[in-house]
Amino acid sequence: MIRYPSPLRPGDRIGVTSPSSGVPSPLRPRLDVAVGWLRARGYDVQLGECLSGDAGHVSASADRRAAELNAMLLDPAIRAVVPPWGGETAIDLVDRLDWEALADAEPTWLVGFSDLTTVMLPITLRLGWATLHGANLMDTPYEPPPGLLHWTDVAAATAPFAQHASGRYRSGGFDDWETDPTPTAYHLDARGTWEVAGGGGLDVTGRLIGGCIETVSNLAGTPYGDVAAFGRAHADEGLIVYLEASDDPALEICRNLHGLRLAGWFDDANAIVIGRTSAPPSGDFTQRAAVLDALGMLDLPIVFDVECGHVPPYLPLVNGAQVHLTVAGTERTLVQTLG
């Protein structure tokens, strides 16, 4: 029921478009660096017309953005589409995509995170296409730390691959790409690792699905966010649902998670994975408390502080992949199988 795009190879064409926010002129040099990074590794990069961030919160009208994304996903010469970054209102594309044409097409890798999960999640749920939750184009030049893979390596995989907790993360701030657009190394100044709520460990398998809480929660209860139906389709193997908070305060995240619970997102889950976040608390109510308040009664293992959120580094996850997650002693491993 899951269709995987062909493994990405040097020489393949990668499309670049901004389905949500575009790139303002002062940051265009960073976009050029990222495109150059891909080209230096042998990829043919095709830039779309919907890229500018100088005229508002989106790169172009919803119709133009949808048309360009449709065209790239349907073009058999384009093997992957990666946006510069996320944004705010990619939700205005989900009812403008040509779902019938896409259903008849061979799958293409769609790569990104944050607001792009608003598009990636429906593509996996409705089409059965695997999508790749990983660093976006502007972050692509960064070298992953030991234990994690680059998204291009994940998109190229032909066999099961393992990733491990990196043990390090960036505690705050971002590189100033306007002053220097060239960084390729993360400054990972803090230490931390995956933790199971309540302590102990786990060893669990399931079908992976998820995204950014602030954006995908708006799809619950619509034809584009029926994770409950996806779970029923994979009930024999179960789901591993991953979610991460960008920057909303804890009480807002708590409300969103309660809504996902009521929409049945966890009915067939075997475990829940929560990405590390720098999103703020609401007074004394923390982000971890928000998760436990909304989901703690489900009697499911919850793994906190996985590198799948807005805090670098990034652990690429494939929506639709079969995964084996282990937290035991000092081991923190996630193995994904594309098949």
Side-chain angles (χ1 to χ4, degrees), residues 204-207 209 227-228 230-232 234-235 237-242 264-273 295 298-301:
V204 64
T205 61
R207 190 70 64 176
I209 197 73
V227 171
F230 187 78
R232 290 192 296 272
H234 296 278
E237 55 196 341
L239 303 180
I240 293 181
V241 181
Y242 71 92
W265 278 39
F266 310 100
D267 289 355
D268 292 292
N270 295 334
I272 301 168
V273 169
L295 308 180
L298 295 176
D299 195 29
L300 290 171

Side-chain angles (χ1 to χ4, degrees), residues 100-181:
E100 292 185 5
L102 290 169
D104 292 333
E106 288 298 312
T108 299
W109 284 116
L110 181 58
V111 184
F113 77 109
S114 192
D115 195 31
L116 262 294
T117 62
T118 323
V119 178
M120 293 162 58
L121 180 71
I123 284 177
T124 299
L125 297 180
R126 291 171 66 92
L127 301 176
W129 288 18
T131 54
L132 208 169
H133 184 275
N136 53 46
L137 180 61
M138 301 288 264
D139 290 304
T140 287
Y142 286 109
E143 183 72 19
L148 304 185
L149 296 173
H150 196 273
W151 74 258
T152 55
D153 295 322
V154 171
T158 58
F161 54 92
Q163 297 183 88
H164 313 277
S166 66
R168 305 183 70 88
Y169 66 96
R170 187 168 62 190
S171 64
F174 297 93
D175 288 328
D176 183 359
W177 291 333
E178 186 172 345
T179 300
D180 178 9

